[in-house]
Structures are given as structure tokens and as C-alpha cells.
Amino acid sequence: MRFLLRFASLVALVVAVIAGTIDSIQSVAASAVVVTPMEDAWNDVSPSSLATVQSLISYYIHPRLYDLAVQWLLFQPTFAVFLVISLLLWMIAYKKPPVAGRFSV
């Protein structure tokens, strides 16, 4: 399980670096800071899944949750969202070193 969480963290980190690279290339080309919101990136990749997630959250959880939390998350920069996801997955998979040292059981 720890391996899968670390692998998912690595994938999220790679996506964050790619999104940050795309934003930096667009910023240099436009001579202004360009930051892609999560909603625009999601629409570019799979517009039907965004609508599906919206309807699932509204139906199964609560419509206000979508309005408050998910909409706020979708307006955040894509690279920042994936960096936070990567960090959270890595923190879940982290194994603390033993207190007594390297060779203790």
C-alpha cells in the first residue's frame, strides 16, 4: 500500500511539474504571468468527467459542497493543486525511522 501511495505521489508531482512548465512557457510567450486554473486544465483533458464529478457530488453528498469547496478548488492553479495532492500522498505513505537507530528491530 505504501508503494502505491508513493507512486501516486510521484505521478501527481510529475503532473505538477508539467503544469508548471506549461504555465511558465505561456508566461514567457505572453510577457505576463499566466496561471492555468484547475477547471480549465480539467476541461482540456476531459470535459465530460468534470460534469460527471459535479453531478455526483451534488447528488450523493450535497450541492452546497460543490458550490463552496469544489468550485474554490477548481479556481486554484493546476500546479499548486497537484503539488498539494503529491505532498498529502507522500505524507500518508511516510514511514517514521525507528527511534533506537538503524539496526534496531
Side-chain angles (χ1 to χ4, degrees):
M1 189 68 182
R2 185 174 291 135
F3 171 76
L4 292 176
L5 288 171
R6 285 188 179 183
F7 182 73
S9 173
L10 175 68
V11 170
L13 183 62
V14 168
V15 171
V17 168
I18 290 171
T21 304
I22 290 171
D23 285 349
S24 64
I25 290 171
Q26 289 177 347
S27 295
V28 169
S31 297
V33 176
V34 175
V35 179
T36 306
M38 183 69 186
E39 183 175 23
D40 292 346
W42 198 343
N43 270 330
D44 290 343
V45 174
S46 177
S48 62
S49 67
L50 181 60
T52 303
V53 167
Q54 175 186 5
S55 64
L56 287 175
I57 290 174
S58 297
Y59 182 74
Y60 285 110
I61 299 175
H62 199 276
R64 295 278 309 225
L65 177 70
Y66 181 80
D67 291 339
L68 297 175
V70 178
Q71 282 292 67
W72 178 83
L73 183 70
L74 290 176
F75 287 127
Q76 301 309 312
T78 304
F79 73 91
V81 171
F82 279 104
L83 280 176
V84 169
I85 291 171
S86 176
L87 177 66
L88 291 174
L89 289 172
W90 179 81
M91 287 171 55
I92 293 169
Y94 182 74
K95 181 180 178 183
K96 293 181 183 178
V99 178
R102 181 176 167 185
F103 298 108
S104 66
V105 176

